Amino acid sequence: MTEISRPQPGEYSAFHARYVALVPEDDLLAAMQAQETVTAAALRPYAATPDQTYAPGKWTVRQLLGHMTDVERVFGSRLLFVARGDPARLPGFEQDDWMRAADFGRYALPDLLAEFGAVRRSHLSLLRHLPPGDWTRRGTVGDHDFTVRALARMLLGHERAHLDVLRERYGPARPG
């Protein structure tokens, strides 16, 4: 396994720095793999109340997990484009527009959790097989440059950021 060194400022945007900061581990891939169990344990108690919110107008638990899966796909897609040396400037996306277009209400929470896990495992497979030189390859998303290693950390950091929101704002699962 190739050592994946930590990205430095300038390899990600100021907005995304918070996600990079949430991943202090040296062994990124092991941390990403272990996180699946943590995420499942955090969300499983909400299976009977997937439409619980922490305030009016905020996302439901089901929507939160759907968003996490969408972003996992977006960040992973960006990572693949950059790793393959594609010169295209990749677009940003507006999460609220995506949420309005998504229909996460039709999914059972365990099904959403399984889908998130499948997407993560797919990214892990990709990351395990990247050549060493790919990790520092740069690409542009919106108006910012990113490296593959920054995008990889952002996958895990975004997940952790939303689990923090779940713990801090949603509270325990309420009886349905």
Side-chain angles (χ1 to χ4, degrees), residues 2-26:
T2 302
E3 171 89 16
I4 305 163
S5 57
R6 294 188 58 77
Q8 300 302 307
E11 295 183 39
Y12 47 87
S13 72
F15 175 83
H16 294 94
R18 60 190 174 143
Y19 300 142
V20 173
L22 287 172
V23 186
E25 292 92 343
D26 290 329

Side-chain angles (χ1 to χ4, degrees), residues 15-70:
F15 175 83
H16 294 94
R18 60 190 174 143
Y19 300 142
V20 173
L22 287 172
V23 186
E25 292 92 343
D26 290 329
D27 191 339
L28 172 64
L29 301 184
M32 289 177 74
Q33 186 168 354
Q35 188 68 37
E36 185 174 354
T37 303
V38 173
T39 298
L43 287 160
R44 201 169 287 120
Y46 296 92
T49 57
D51 295 318
Q52 179 175 326
T53 64
Y54 66 87
K58 297 298 182 182
W59 291 345
T60 65
V61 172
R62 193 184 335 231
Q63 288 173 313
L64 178 77
L65 181 53
H67 164 75
M68 288 169 57
T69 304
D70 276 356

